[in-house]
Amino acid sequence: MSVDTLPQRSGSEVHSRSGGLGRRQVHAVAACYFVASFAALGLPPYLTAILPALGDSQARWAGVLYIVPTVFSALGAPLWGRLADRFGRKRLLLRAQLGLTVSFLLAGAADSLAAFTLALVLQGFLGGTFAATNGYLAAALDGPRLSRSLTLMQGSARAALVAAPILVGALSPWIDPHRQYLVMAVLPLAAALLLSRLPEPRPRPAATAASATSPTTEIEPEGTAPISLRPLYAFEFTFVFATVISFPYLITLAEQRLPGVSGVTTGVLFALPHLCYLVFAARTHTVFHTRPHTGIALGFGFVTLGLAGHAVAYSLPVFVAVRLLLGAGLTLGLVSLAVLAAGAAKGRAPGRMFGTLELVSKGGAVAAGAVAALANDRFGAAAPVVAGTAAALLAALAATTLTVPSSRQRWSRR
């Protein structure tokens, strides 16, 4: 998936490039985000194999340590975002990549559970590549070009989520997953070296009167009022909660519902929604970049249907169908959230805004993990998707109330 697979507007392109970032530079940032995500996402699924050698013979701390980087990334993101606005987005983006490098080296060299835990804390606090990357892009890009770039960044993360655990598993017979942290440290270090060659983004120039009346002027999204941060944060939290809550126990649920299913099949079922995003995100942006509230309402609707469908998924075809429904909702929701975030960044300090957005996003992921664990322990592996269904349904209704007035406003101006 590429920002170039979407329609380009020449007026916007001129302003974007004069701000210091061209197409190849955006692709370079996406590649760096991919390798950082690859390293951070590939090893946590193997904590149960890592911890026994560090003194936790039953791997009882695996669940807690799985979310430790997420928690501390959320806590540190607002601080790093403010520092980026003050001292430069490129410096803080380099800081995030180098922070991951140091933390991976410490994790790979740790010889006790306490040292390993400290390394994961540092991974979360010193990392934060999501906020750093998006703040860097938002400092130079705006409008649909920014939202296309944010969509591309999500594609990088989804690709890493699919590919990284597979590679770590393939390397495991030769390199212990614990020591693979030392190998993975090369990835963010390489990303930092590449990013060091990119420019510090300059402030976006104001559009001229001529460009404002030009036929290449971008179509405005739904409504005319500036996008408020509160709905954006609320939708971000709820969307992450509703989608992530199905992740931890999906493999267990599939094995219960599909006796004798292979590990490859369960892995494909897990990956299907993310593969949907990689295939359809660019086209979805083309359709919904002028109506993000409609997109987010539909996204929550499809997530609701997909999660609810898990209750009746007792055969492989039905399981595939509900995972594809969830993939449709994931794609619509993430793309629409990127458009809303791009609109909200106008006139605001991007580092601070995206730092807070990461805090909200990570908070949704942590809440999803906690609720999933409690629901699974009390009611079984199907309970987490029921909780996610309820959250997505309420959010779909809330998003619809925002979409209807917006649509009426657009028709009234015609």
Side-chain angles (χ1 to χ4, degrees), residues 266-288:
T266 56
V268 171
L269 289 174
F270 182 90
L272 270 179
H274 310 293
L275 293 174
C276 284
Y277 183 91
L278 293 174
V279 174
F280 296 109
R283 298 173 188 174
T284 302
H285 185 280
T286 301
V287 176
F288 288 98

Side-chain angles (χ1 to χ4, degrees), residues 219-220 222 290-291 406-414:
I219 300 173
E220 291 184 358
E222 298 162 320
T290 58
R291 37 185 174 269
S406 176
S407 298
R408 288 175 178 171
Q409 184 180 18
R410 291 174 66 205
W411 281 106
S412 67
R413 294 202 303 268
R414 294 182 180 181

Side-chain angles (χ1 to χ4, degrees), residues 117-294:
T117 301
L118 176 61
L120 295 183
V121 169
L122 292 176
Q123 176 187 329
F125 187 75
L126 296 179
T129 52
F130 172 85
T133 299
N134 291 345
Y136 178 83
L137 293 171
L141 309 175
D142 61 0
R145 182 148 174 85
L146 174 58
S147 61
R148 282 194 293 267
S149 297
L150 298 181
T151 299
L152 180 62
M153 296 308 120
Q154 279 286 357
S156 297
R158 299 292 147 182
L161 186 62
V162 172
I166 297 174
L167 179 60
V168 172
L171 290 175
S172 294
W174 294 276
I175 307 175
D176 183 84
H178 179 201
R179 302 307 175 189
Q180 286 191 42
Y181 273 100
L182 298 173
V183 178
M184 293 294 182
V186 175
L187 297 179
L189 179 60
L193 293 175
L194 176 58
L195 289 168
S196 67
R197 300 177 62 86
L198 297 180
E200 177 68 40
R202 299 188 298 275
R204 297 181 296 269
T208 64
S211 65
T213 58
S214 169
T216 60
T217 299
E218 295 285 359
I219 300 173
E220 291 184 358
E222 298 162 320
T224 57
I227 294 177
S228 172
L229 290 179
R230 288 185 179 179
L232 172 63
Y233 293 157
F235 286 143
E236 178 77 20
F237 180 93
T238 309
F239 190 81
V240 171
F241 177 88
T243 52
V244 170
I245 198 171
S246 69
F247 293 172
Y249 300 100
L250 175 70
I251 302 301
T252 300
L253 181 64
E255 290 173 346
Q256 291 176 358
R257 298 286 183 81
L258 307 172
V261 67
S262 69
V264 173
T265 301
T266 56
V268 171
L269 289 174
F270 182 90
L272 270 179
H274 310 293
L275 293 174
C276 284
Y277 183 91
L278 293 174
V279 174
F280 296 109
R283 298 173 188 174
T284 302
H285 185 280
T286 301
V287 176
F288 288 98
H289 81 273
T290 58
R291 37 185 174 269
H293 289 110
T294 301

Side-chain angles (χ1 to χ4, degrees), residues 88-128:
R89 283 88 186 186
K90 178 181 175 180
R91 292 179 182 178
L92 271 293
L93 181 53
L94 288 172
R95 181 275 317 158
Q97 297 286 2
L98 294 175
L100 286 180
T101 301
V102 171
S103 63
F104 288 156
L105 289 174
L106 292 175
D111 57 1
S112 68
L113 183 61
F116 187 74
T117 301
L118 176 61
L120 295 183
V121 169
L122 292 176
Q123 176 187 329
F125 187 75
L126 296 179

Side-chain angles (χ1 to χ4, degrees), residues 304-401:
T304 301
L305 292 174
L307 291 177
H310 285 71
V312 295
Y314 284 90
S315 67
L316 183 59
V318 175
F319 232 116
V320 169
V322 299
R323 296 301 289 171
L324 290 175
L325 279 174
L326 185 61
L330 187 77
T331 304
L332 281 162
L334 288 175
V335 169
S336 299
L337 285 170
V339 175
L340 290 173
K346 293 181 180 179
R348 292 186 171 97
R352 181 175 182 177
M353 194 206 85
F354 281 104
T356 304
L357 190 63
E358 181 169 15
L359 170 63
V360 171
S361 178
K362 294 296 192 294
V366 172
V371 172
L374 292 173
N376 177 74
D377 289 342
R378 189 174 181 89
F379 302 107
V385 296
V386 175
T389 300
L393 178 59
L394 291 174
L397 295 174
T400 301
T401 63

Side-chain angles (χ1 to χ4, degrees), residues 13-103:
E13 283 286 316
V14 170
H15 294 315
S16 296
R17 289 178 180 173
S18 65
L21 289 182
R23 183 177 64 242
R24 292 182 180 178
Q25 292 164 327
V26 171
H27 287 172
V29 174
C32 293
Y33 191 49
F34 171 80
V35 299
S37 300
F38 192 98
L41 295 173
L43 288 163
Y46 294 87
L47 285 175
T48 52
I50 293 173
L51 296 183
L54 296 175
D56 183 9
S57 59
Q58 302 298 319
R60 294 176 178 175
W61 287 95
V64 174
L65 294 181
Y66 193 95
I67 64 172
V68 161
T70 303
V71 171
F72 283 90
S73 177
L75 294 176
L79 169 64
W80 295 124
R82 290 185 178 92
L83 291 176
D85 291 331
R86 182 174 180 181
F87 297 107
R89 283 88 186 186
K90 178 181 175 180
R91 292 179 182 178
L92 271 293
L93 181 53
L94 288 172
R95 181 275 317 158
Q97 297 286 2
L98 294 175
L100 286 180
T101 301
V102 171
S103 63

